[in-house]
Amino acid sequence: MSLPTARDVLQAARRLAPWVHRTPVMRSRTLDQMLRAQVFFKCESFQRSGSFKYRGASNAVLQLSADQRARGVVAHSSGNHAQALALAARKAGLACTIVMPRGSVRIKRQAVEGYGARIILCENTLAAREAVAEQVVARTGATLIHPYDHPQVVAGQGTAVLELWEEVGPLELVLVPVGGGGLAAGTALALEHLAAGSVPLVGVEPEVADDARRSLEQGTLLPSSYPATIADGLRTSLGRIPFAILRRHRVPILTVSEEAIREATQWVWSRLKVVVEPSAAVPVAALLQRKVSVEGKRIGVILTGGNVDCSRWWSG
Amino acid sequence: MSLPTARDVLQAARRLAPWVHRTPVMRSRTLDQMLRAQVFFKCESFQRSGSFKYRGASNAVLQLSADQRARGVVAHSSGNHAQALALAARKAGLACTIVMPRGSVRIKRQAVEGYGARIILCENTLAAREAVAEQVVARTGATLIHPYDHPQVVAGQGTAVLELWEEVGPLELVLVPVGGGGLAAGTALALEHLAAGSVPLVGVEPEVADDARRSLEQGTLLPSSYPATIADGLRTSLGRIPFAILRRHRVPILTVSEEAIREATQWVWSRLKVVVEPSAAVPVAALLQRKVSVEGKRIGVILTGGNVDCSRWWSG
């Protein structure tokens, strides 16, 4: 298993600079006063494809050989990685196939199709998704781009905190949500470069999907099985590469309740006026619930994405 | 009746520069491709108090005499002007009273209270609101700040398009929603300065609240009575000052259906990831419905505000 390094994150930042949006940073005076801290929100909802996943997917796509480019890319995902890879592939002029479970939300299928990718539907299990993706690889020679267990993807995700730091100056604490762990691992590598590991990174998970916390505490990967959290982007289990990096950096993991995630999502919408999906609000929940000591600190939070079905609002 | 001028808008811009947020401008490649145009969205959801109304309210508050300041300000409003004035008054260290109908949404009352204003509840009619506000003026000597029929408020609203133009360069068409008409009138004055009236401004209204269109077509103010539009910020009737300015500038008014407003609101949320209220999406509805000829043009749209009850999303 080849682990990416801080240097890979720096190289990714140079590679991605003309390719990704430099997303805006938002603040809330109310929150800063309440916490007696300064919180800087890096708003990846405004990233192309609607989430930070475009960074990692693009970083992988841009490093394919001419031969690999000719055969295209494939991924199995029903979430933000699918949209990110579809868009990155289109922009690079590559064919892209996305394997999605039949039960996927229509709006997500439409987004992937809108970016010009081919969709193959499969049964609603991880095994089925992997098997179908492997068939595509065998048949077409396409390169499989894993959503987080991929060194270049992890390195790409680390560029978000680099941009944030560059824009607002040194931070004293960084919070990110943890699903597969690609963002958390990339952020840990970036902070190694920015602050030689002196700036704590805290990962935050839903209580009901706390496989990263358990895995890191017990020193072995303990996958979760289909946890029922509203933070649908964090239902996946920690990957092997992220696990190794988070373990080496001794990244602590906090957990938050479903109710706290709900409140935090609403807080971001109504206060920051940024559309975020519940997964993105998970670190905000940790702040609002005062799960972490922040007083007097300059805190960075990656608001990971905003791909949420907005039509639900009208039915209320 | 004293009408504000283009010069008043320029003075307001200088006065407000250190006082308001310079809100970001967003774009959508998908929309630009679809319309074969370039659309620049000035995102006033990110303005302080959550809407452009903070510009006009602040412009009025900052021009009070020492004597007036000592007696505070009052407004009758259940909407964005209430929050805007409450915040502007707090920032200026003034007392503020807001007269609100008993039926006002709880979340809006809480916001006004959160900004430290005193709330007086009254019956749910315009007459009752005006009467109670007059009582406050008579008793306390407070200055009434009207949400749109006020020269300084109109001038303040015109600063949004000035900022947009400064940031993105010359525009060839500008779209704004029309309720009381303060923003439309201020924008018309700003465009008089920016382009000597050569850049068309188009106002957009809900079909069921088309009093501005009817009034301007017939050359006389024709108020609407409690129109049932989801664009709750546009239920109010065109004011006398805005009417005079829009008439002189021959500003055309388009109308859009409730369904189109709904779709446009959802489009902004899901594509731009900016939380807007339905009123803000009304000009977007005109674009999506192709109610106006835009091909090849550089178009400015003021996304007026984002004060919407986000808790509704969860009930879906």
Side-chain angles (χ1 to χ4, degrees):
Chain A
M1 185 169 66
S2 141
L3 293 185
T5 64
R7 195 192 153 115
D8 292 321
V9 180
L10 292 182
Q11 285 175 349
R14 275 194 294 275
R15 187 178 295 121
L16 295 179
W19 193 268
V20 302
H21 277 173
R22 201 178 169 88
T23 51
V25 178
M26 302 268 177
R27 303 192 52 189
S28 160
R29 293 174 206 228
T30 311
L31 182 69
D32 284 2
Q33 281 165 14
M34 190 179 107
L35 299 177
R36 296 199 190 118
Q38 290 176 276
V39 184
F40 301 90
F41 293 101
K42 176 75 168 164
C43 298
E44 291 285 297
S45 289
F46 302 122
Q47 188 51 262
R48 296 206 68 189
S49 84
S51 85
F52 75 97
K53 296 269 184 179
Y54 185 67
R55 297 174 181 274
S58 297
N59 195 42
V61 160
L62 290 170
Q63 292 178 76
L64 295 173
S65 68
D67 183 51
Q68 288 174 314
R69 290 171 53 89
R71 298 180 196 185
V73 290
V74 59
H76 55 85
S77 162
S78 60
N80 287 333
H81 178 65
Q83 295 184 48
L85 186 64
L87 182 59
R90 186 177 73 176
K91 210 177 160 206
L94 272 59
C96 177
T97 305
I98 302 291
V99 179
M100 291 182 115
R102 272 182 225 290
S104 300
V105 188
R106 194 172 57 99
I107 207 161
K108 294 195 172 178
R109 277 163 60 177
Q110 286 173 336
V112 169
E113 281 169 350
Y115 293 135
R118 189 168 67 111
I119 292 178
I120 300 181
L121 294 175
C122 70
E123 294 312 307
N124 204 5
T125 66
L126 181 60
R129 284 157 60 172
E130 286 178 347
V132 174
E134 283 308 325
Q135 285 164 18
V136 174
V137 170
R139 201 171 61 236
T140 64
T143 302
L144 184 74
I145 311 287
H146 194 279
Y148 46 86
D149 238 346
H150 187 304
Q152 293 162 347
V153 170
V154 167
Q157 319 302 33
T159 61
V161 78
L162 279 187
E163 278 181 19
L164 175 59
W165 188 288
E166 223 174 84
E167 182 160 338
V168 308
L171 299 167
E172 292 159 299
L173 175 64
V174 175
L175 299 177
V176 297
V178 180
L183 176 65
T187 304
L189 296 176
L191 289 173
E192 188 183 315
H193 161 73
L194 291 165
S198 71
V199 171
L201 167 65
V202 173
V204 190
E205 277 184 324
E207 267 168 28
V208 297
D210 66 341
D211 62 292
R213 185 186 62 72
R214 288 184 292 110
S215 297
L216 288 163
E217 276 178 16
Q218 298 186 29
T220 185
L221 264 182
L222 300 166
S224 58
S225 53
Y226 309 106
T229 171
I230 50 168
D232 57 341
L234 309 181
R235 286 180 193 150
T236 183
S237 298
L238 191 63
R240 290 183 312 137
I241 292 177
F243 172 70
I245 293 171
L246 296 178
R247 197 175 175 201
R248 198 178 61 202
H249 286 81
R250 300 171 194 279
V251 173
I253 308 285
L254 297 175
T255 62
V256 289
S257 70
E258 294 297 297
E259 185 50 30
I261 297 170
R262 211 176 280 264
E263 275 175 27
T265 307
Q266 209 167 304
W267 185 91
V268 174
W269 289 19
S270 60
R271 293 298 182 140
L272 297 185
K273 312 293 182 193
V274 177
V275 172
V276 290
E277 50 194 280
S279 304
V282 161
V284 183
L287 287 176
L288 294 176
Q289 299 277 310
R290 299 171 187 269
K291 293 255 178 179
V292 54
S293 162
V294 297
E295 199 167 321
K297 287 186 188 149
R298 293 168 53 83
I299 303 151
V301 176
I302 315 286
L303 290 181
T304 47
N307 291 327
V308 71
D309 183 0
C310 295
S311 66
R312 288 181 56 182
W313 190 77
W314 298 108
S315 56
Chain B
M1 185 168 69
S2 142
L3 294 185
T5 65
R7 194 192 153 117
D8 291 323
V9 179
L10 292 182
Q11 285 175 348
R14 277 193 293 275
R15 188 178 295 121
L16 295 179
W19 192 268
V20 301
H21 277 173
R22 202 179 168 87
T23 51
V25 178
M26 303 268 177
R27 303 192 53 189
S28 160
R29 293 175 205 229
T30 312
L31 183 69
D32 284 2
Q33 281 165 13
M34 191 180 106
L35 298 177
R36 296 199 191 119
Q38 290 176 276
V39 184
F40 302 90
F41 293 100
K42 175 74 169 165
C43 298
E44 290 285 297
S45 289
F46 301 122
Q47 188 51 263
R48 296 207 68 190
S49 84
S51 85
F52 76 97
K53 295 270 185 180
Y54 185 69
R55 297 174 181 272
S58 297
N59 195 42
V61 160
L62 289 169
Q63 292 179 76
L64 295 173
S65 68
D67 183 51
Q68 288 173 315
R69 291 172 52 88
R71 297 179 196 185
V73 290
V74 59
H76 54 86
S77 163
S78 60
N80 287 333
H81 178 64
Q83 296 183 48
L85 186 64
L87 182 59
R90 188 178 72 176
K91 211 178 160 205
L94 273 58
C96 178
T97 306
I98 302 290
V99 180
M100 290 182 116
R102 272 184 224 289
S104 300
V105 188
R106 196 171 57 100
I107 208 163
K108 294 195 173 179
R109 277 163 60 177
Q110 286 173 337
V112 169
E113 281 169 350
Y115 292 134
R118 188 168 70 111
I119 292 178
I120 301 181
L121 294 176
C122 70
E123 294 311 308
N124 204 5
T125 66
L126 181 60
R129 284 157 60 173
E130 286 179 346
V132 174
E134 283 308 325
Q135 286 164 19
V136 174
V137 170
R139 203 172 58 237
T140 64
T143 302
L144 184 74
I145 309 287
H146 194 280
Y148 45 87
D149 237 346
H150 188 303
Q152 294 163 347
V153 170
V154 167
Q157 317 304 32
T159 61
V161 77
L162 280 187
E163 277 181 21
L164 175 58
W165 189 288
E166 222 174 84
E167 183 160 337
V168 307
L171 299 167
E172 291 158 298
L173 174 64
V174 175
L175 298 177
V176 297
V178 181
L183 176 66
T187 304
L189 296 175
L191 288 174
E192 188 183 316
H193 162 72
L194 291 165
S198 71
V199 172
L201 166 65
V202 173
V204 190
E205 279 185 322
E207 266 168 27
V208 297
D210 66 341
D211 62 293
R213 184 186 62 72
R214 288 184 292 109
S215 297
L216 288 164
E217 275 178 16
Q218 300 186 27
T220 185
L221 266 181
L222 300 167
S224 57
S225 54
Y226 310 106
T229 171
I230 50 166
D232 57 341
L234 309 181
R235 287 180 193 150
T236 183
S237 298
L238 190 63
R240 290 183 312 136
I241 293 177
F243 172 70
I245 294 171
L246 296 179
R247 199 178 173 197
R248 199 178 61 203
H249 286 82
R250 299 170 195 280
V251 173
I253 309 286
L254 298 175
T255 62
V256 289
S257 70
E258 294 297 297
E259 185 51 30
I261 297 170
R262 212 176 280 263
E263 274 175 28
T265 306
Q266 210 167 302
W267 185 90
V268 175
W269 291 6
S270 60
R271 292 299 181 139
L272 297 185
K273 312 295 182 191
V274 177
V275 173
V276 291
E277 51 194 278
S279 304
V282 162
V284 183
L287 287 177
L288 294 176
Q289 299 278 309
R290 301 173 187 264
K291 292 255 178 178
V292 54
S293 164
V294 297
E295 199 168 319
K297 288 187 188 146
R298 293 169 52 84
I299 302 151
V301 175
I302 315 286
L303 290 181
T304 48
N307 291 326
V308 72
D309 183 358
C310 296
S311 66
R312 288 181 56 182
W313 191 76
W314 297 109
S315 54

